[in-house]
């Protein structure tokens, strides 16, 4: 599928702020399943953009606005072609023993606790119950996805960007970021390397997908010998060509679209406006 994406985030401040420093993970990832044709970032106030690759190979732009300003607008546009990681089939048939046969040190960060994910005894017990004797890694991960979709309630505004998965485990409510963290924790408790993915989701004319109004989140599990495969517990679906990957990491902290800080009075931010359009090009 070929898409055009427009994503604008606008901050309005109660009083002028200064020395604003921000990191942006808004440039789509590129690999054999995703080909970026065009990407543009616009900032207001205008300032110099720099970039680097982080530890998870995400493309990170960063900038500073030292002078006082009352608004900040960050606008990203791109055109991208995507194909499904599942176009050659579902990666079943790999048993759990394969996770120990040839361990990969690069996967270690995705197999343990992180900022928003904790592998507690309660999480492990839930994982064992969901596993229910299965020995296929991908089938087990899919069962975890089904369980979250069927037992958690999608409800905006009951959590925020800093909500830990342990809170979501108790309340069983949240949004895509929360469901991704819960799934990551359960899968890691079973020994499956799992990472967080931020990006966009195309909601076609006949679709009724959740989490398409702003940046979306899902997770990817690593299947030995086959690679990373995405699962979207918010919508109980495989992450396919409709999912536009932007960044990956251990959890939201590593893949957040926008992070930053500024100097200003407490509670300076009075309004946050996010506009997102994911439009399919062609048939």
């Amino acid at each position: 599928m070929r898409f055009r994406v427009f994503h604008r985030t606008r901050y309005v401040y109660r009083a002028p702020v200064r020395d604003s420093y921000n990191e942006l993970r808004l440039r789509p990832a590129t690999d054999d399943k995703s080909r970026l044709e065009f990407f543009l970032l616009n900032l207001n106030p205008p300032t110099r953009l720099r970039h680097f690759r982080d530890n998870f190979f995400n493309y990170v732009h960063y900038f500073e606005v030292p002078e006082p300003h009352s608004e900040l607008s960050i606008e990203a546009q791109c055109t991208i072609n995507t194909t499904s990681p599942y176009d050659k089939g579902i990666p079943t048939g790999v048993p759990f023993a394969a996770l120990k046969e040839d361990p990969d040190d690069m996967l270690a960060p995705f197999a343990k606790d992180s900022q928003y994910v904790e592998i507690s005894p309660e999480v492990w017990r839930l994982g064992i119950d969901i596993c229910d004797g299965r020995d296929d890694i991908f089938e087990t991960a899919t069962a975890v996805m089904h369980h979250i979709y069927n037992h958690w309630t999608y409800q905006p505004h009951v959590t925020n960007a800093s909500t830990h998965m342990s809170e979501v485990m108790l309340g069983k409510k949240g949004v895509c970021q929360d469901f991704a963290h819960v799934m990551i924790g359960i899968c890691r408790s079973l020994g499956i390397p799992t990472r967080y993915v931020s990006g966009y989701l195309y909601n076609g004319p006949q679709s009724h997908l959740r989490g398409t109004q702003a940046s979306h989140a899902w997770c990817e599990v690593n299947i030995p010998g086959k690679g990373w495969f995405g699962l979207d517990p918010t919508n109980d679906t495989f992450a396919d060509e409709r999912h536009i990957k932007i960044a990956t990491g251990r959890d939201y902290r590593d893949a957040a679209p926008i992070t930053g800080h500024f100097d200003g009075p407490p509670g300076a931010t009075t309004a946050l406006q996010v506009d997102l359009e994911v439009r399919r090009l062609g048939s």
Side-chain angles (χ1 to χ4, degrees), residues 14-62:
R14 176 177 290 111
V17 302
R18 60 181 303 155
D19 295 327
S20 175
Y21 176 86
N22 297 270
E23 290 188 358
L24 313 177
R25 287 167 176 81
L26 294 170
R27 185 182 189 272
T30 53
D31 52 32
D32 60 337
K33 301 298 180 184
S34 182
R35 181 167 57 86
L36 184 65
E37 298 180 3
F38 167 80
F39 178 73
L40 178 67
L41 268 175
N42 286 318
L43 304 175
N44 190 30
T47 189
R48 181 182 177 184
L49 272 170
R50 299 175 176 87
H51 62 82
F52 65 92
R53 294 275 187 170
D54 67 14
N55 292 337
F56 304 101
F57 306 104
N58 300 312
Y59 203 100
V60 185
H61 289 89
Y62 66 99

Side-chain angles (χ1 to χ4, degrees), residues 109-147:
F110 308 113
K112 55 188 179 182
D113 291 354
S114 55
Q115 179 74 23
Y116 295 114
V117 175
E118 179 185 8
I119 307 171
S120 65
E122 292 76 19
V123 171
W124 175 77
R125 282 195 292 269
L126 177 59
I128 292 297
D129 289 342
I130 296 171
C131 185
D132 194 28
R134 292 182 180 85
D135 190 41
D136 185 290
I137 298 171
F138 189 76
E139 287 183 354
T140 300
T142 302
V144 174
M145 176 181 71
H146 294 332
H147 181 89

Side-chain angles (χ1 to χ4, degrees), residues 1-182:
M1 288 184 173
R2 187 166 178 255
F3 300 105
R4 180 167 294 155
V5 180
F6 174 84
H7 182 190
R8 179 171 57 209
T9 303
R10 180 170 173 257
Y11 301 91
V12 180
Y13 305 105
R14 176 177 290 111
V17 302
R18 60 181 303 155
D19 295 327
S20 175
Y21 176 86
N22 297 270
E23 290 188 358
L24 313 177
R25 287 167 176 81
L26 294 170
R27 185 182 189 272
T30 53
D31 52 32
D32 60 337
K33 301 298 180 184
S34 182
R35 181 167 57 86
L36 184 65
E37 298 180 3
F38 167 80
F39 178 73
L40 178 67
L41 268 175
N42 286 318
L43 304 175
N44 190 30
T47 189
R48 181 182 177 184
L49 272 170
R50 299 175 176 87
H51 62 82
F52 65 92
R53 294 275 187 170
D54 67 14
N55 292 337
F56 304 101
F57 306 104
N58 300 312
Y59 203 100
V60 185
H61 289 89
Y62 66 99
F63 67 90
E64 297 176 74
V65 184
E67 66 273 7
H69 53 286
S70 297
E71 296 185 14
L72 174 62
S73 177
I74 302 167
E75 184 178 293
Q77 302 177 57
C78 73
T79 303
I80 190 167
N81 259 301
T82 63
T83 56
S84 174
Y86 297 95
D87 56 1
K88 295 182 180 178
I90 299 172
T92 54
V94 181
F96 274 86
L99 294 169
K100 299 180 180 179
E101 290 173 357
D102 188 19
D104 184 346
D105 291 342
M106 294 291 288
L107 299 178
F110 308 113
K112 55 188 179 182
D113 291 354
S114 55
Q115 179 74 23
Y116 295 114
V117 175
E118 179 185 8
I119 307 171
S120 65
E122 292 76 19
V123 171
W124 175 77
R125 282 195 292 269
L126 177 59
I128 292 297
D129 289 342
I130 296 171
C131 185
D132 194 28
R134 292 182 180 85
D135 190 41
D136 185 290
I137 298 171
F138 189 76
E139 287 183 354
T140 300
T142 302
V144 174
M145 176 181 71
H146 294 332
H147 181 89
I148 294 171
Y149 181 80
N150 290 322
H151 292 85
W152 266 256
T153 300
Y154 183 82
Q155 186 173 333
H157 312 304
V158 297
T159 58
N160 56 54
S162 61
T163 299
H164 193 277
M165 68 161 285
S166 59
E167 298 179 49
V168 186
M169 288 286 294
L170 291 173
K172 294 190 181 301
K173 296 178 181 179
V175 292
C176 55
Q177 172 185 312
D178 306 305
F179 295 169
H181 283 156
V182 171

Side-chain angles (χ1 to χ4, degrees), residues 218-240:
W218 59 97
C219 60
E220 290 181 335
V221 296
N222 189 271
I223 308 300
K226 296 180 181 290
W228 292 100
F229 291 85
L231 297 161
D232 182 350
T234 302
N235 293 292
D236 199 28
T237 184
F238 297 153
D240 53 23

